[in-house]
């Protein structure tokens, strides 16, 4: 594995190896002997806001022996129109790795190709692979394994998280149900390409029926702020609440990639009742990403 650009581009064995190593690194935190990033400086090139991704990478890079340099696009020439092609060729000569959060997936692919350094997708409009890897680690911790997993995603199934879950289901073969308004279905072309076991419905309770993980994300992803009012109307029914939870399997877990908007995609009551799992999920970003960086260096 040279880069982590998407879940789509990973083989099932690579996903499982990352999750396996993440369990080990989590158990060994603070007692690790190996420092695979020793002497290295990795850049975090972010064009969108972040709490979890930024902090987990900055901490993770340091724990693996490296240095992290945070580069907000608004403070470097990229934000004034310098092409990604030139940014990649400059940074590739100075940094040993790059973690990029931006809009277009193609920009990350261009950066990876032209910089020549290991490049990690820290969220694009199309995918959020680091979040999925942390979520798989969390689901294994909560359920004991991924066997027989039935996951229901309620909300904007066409956003980066919905799309990444489709690729995770395609690669690992679990059952995925998506509940979303008709306007926010993932593209038919993507579904055909993924060829996953996916059911799509406009009814959140139908999607939740018998599922053992209920998952949601914001109604308004970063970059879609102008559509906030339209989306609030479209997604009003697509909330994890007591009714939707009651349709799920007994003992079902609720996960949220965060940040969460209570009263929108999830009620405050359901959020607080499942806060332990949700914050375990947030912590697992650190362990999963340390596994990714370790494997990129091996
Ligand atoms: N879940 C996630 O990626 O959070 P941040 O936007 O805070 O990084
Ligand atoms: N779909 C959300 C994920 C945030 C982590 C967004 O892109 O804003």
């Amino acid at each position: 594995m040279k880069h982590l650009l998407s879940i789509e581009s990973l083989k099932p064995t690579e996903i499982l190896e990352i999750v396996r190593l993440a369990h080990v690194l989590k158990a060994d935190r603070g007692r690790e002997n190996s420092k695979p990033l020793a002497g290295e400086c990795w850049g975090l090139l972010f064009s969108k806001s972040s709490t979890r991704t930024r902090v987990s990478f900055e901490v993770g890079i340091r724990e693996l022996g490296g240095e992290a340099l945070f580069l907000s696009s608004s403070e470097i020439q990229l934000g004034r129109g310098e092409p990604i092609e030139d940014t990649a060729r400059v940074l590739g000569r100075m940094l040993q790795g790059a973690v990029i959060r931006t809009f277009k997936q193609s920009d990350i692919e261009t950066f990876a190709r032209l910089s020549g350094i290991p490049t990690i997708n820290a969220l694009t409009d199309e995918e959020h692979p680091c979040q999925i890897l942390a979520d798989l680690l969390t689901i294994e911790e909560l359920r004991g394994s991924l066997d027989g997993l039935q996951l229901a995603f309620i909300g904007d199934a066409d956003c980066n998280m919905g799309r990444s879950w489709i690729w995770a289901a395609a690669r690992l073969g679990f059952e995925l149900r998506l509940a979303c308004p008709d306007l926010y279905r993932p593209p038919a072309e993507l579904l055909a390409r993924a060829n996953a076991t996916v059911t799509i419905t406009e009814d959140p309770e139908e999607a939740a029926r018998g599922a053992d993980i209920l998952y949601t994300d914001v109604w308004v992803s970063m970059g879609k702020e102008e559509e906030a009012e339209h989306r609030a109307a479209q997604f009003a029914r697509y909330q994890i609440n007591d009714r939707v939870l009651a349709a799920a399997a007994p003992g079902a877990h609720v996960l949220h990639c965060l940040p969460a908007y209570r009263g929108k995609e999830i009620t405050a009551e359901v959020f607080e009742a499942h806060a332990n799992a949700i914050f375990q999920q947030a912590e697992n970003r650190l362990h999963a990403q340390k596994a990714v960086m370790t494997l990129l260096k091996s």
Side-chain angles (χ1 to χ4, degrees):
M1 195 170 69
K2 175 103 189 354
H3 307 289
L4 172 63
L5 301 182
S6 59
I7 297 294
E8 176 179 2
S9 61
L10 291 179
K11 299 185 188 82
T13 48
E14 290 173 323
I15 297 175
L16 297 175
E17 176 62 6
I18 294 165
V19 176
R20 186 202 62 76
L21 181 58
H23 282 288
V24 173
L25 293 175
K26 182 170 182 175
D28 288 353
R29 188 175 182 207
R31 287 183 274 117
E32 317 87 334
N33 293 318
S34 114
K35 298 279 181 201
L37 304 192
E40 298 200 350
C41 185
W42 282 51
L44 271 61
L45 199 57
F46 278 41
S47 304
K48 294 176 175 174
S49 306
S50 173
T51 299
R52 283 144 285 272
T53 309
R54 176 179 175 174
V55 175
S56 55
F57 269 109
E58 290 204 21
V59 171
I61 289 166
R62 285 185 177 86
E63 291 189 6
L64 295 178
E67 298 277 339
L69 192 61
F70 184 76
L71 302 165
S72 159
S73 68
S74 62
E75 289 166 16
I76 61 171
Q77 299 289 9
L78 183 67
R80 294 178 63 240
E82 184 169 21
I84 191 74
E85 289 81 355
D86 296 356
T87 306
R89 286 178 288 183
V90 171
L91 297 185
R93 289 164 184 256
M94 299 178 184
L95 299 170
Q96 282 73 45
V99 178
I100 304 182
R101 169 167 284 202
T102 190
F103 296 86
K104 284 161 50 191
Q105 180 73 21
S106 60
D107 281 350
I108 296 215
E109 284 161 11
T110 301
F111 187 99
R113 186 166 43 81
L114 294 180
S115 69
I117 55 176
T119 301
I120 297 177
N121 177 353
L123 181 148
T124 63
D125 290 345
E126 288 180 34
E127 275 226 33
H128 195 1
C130 294
Q131 182 68 55
I132 292 287
L133 294 165
D135 296 345
L136 292 171
L137 170 63
T138 312
I139 292 169
E140 281 195 348
E141 289 175 335
L142 294 172
R143 295 176 77 249
S145 88
L146 300 174
D147 294 347
L149 172 63
Q150 296 189 14
L151 186 142
F153 181 98
I154 318 283
D156 181 6
D158 191 28
C159 80
N160 38 27
M161 285 309 308
R163 289 175 178 224
S164 292
W165 274 118
I166 292 170
W167 286 110
R171 294 291 173 260
L172 299 180
F174 60 82
E175 192 187 325
L176 176 66
R177 293 96 167 273
L178 304 173
C180 58
D182 198 42
L183 264 180
Y184 294 91
R185 284 169 74 98
E189 167 279 321
L190 184 146
L191 290 164
R193 200 151 43 88
N195 195 24
T197 311
V198 184
T199 318
I200 307 183
T201 168
E202 289 182 62
D203 179 354
E205 284 174 63
E206 184 187 327
R209 203 155 295 135
D212 45 15
I213 301 285
L214 299 185
Y215 197 106
T216 191
D217 182 12
V218 294
W219 291 343
V220 184
S221 284
M222 292 179 279
K224 307 286 183 198
E225 289 80 4
E226 283 176 12
E227 300 171 15
E229 207 176 316
H230 179 253
R231 284 172 172 260
Q234 284 285 323
F235 284 106
R237 298 171 54 213
Y238 297 89
Q239 179 187 65
I240 302 188
N241 51 34
D242 286 338
R243 216 177 46 250
V244 170
L245 189 54
H253 300 283
V254 175
L255 295 179
H256 192 311
C257 57
L258 301 176
Y261 292 83
R262 292 152 175 86
K264 294 197 167 164
E265 73 275 3
I266 191 163
T267 60
E269 294 73 20
V270 172
F271 184 92
E272 290 307 330
H274 293 267
N276 282 348
I278 292 169
F279 291 109
Q280 179 179 336
Q281 181 188 2
E283 178 195 325
N284 281 341
R285 297 293 306 277
L286 171 66
H287 311 299
Q289 289 157 198
K290 282 172 71 181
V292 168
M293 291 186 283
T294 301
L295 291 168
L296 287 178
K297 297 300 300 179
S298 65

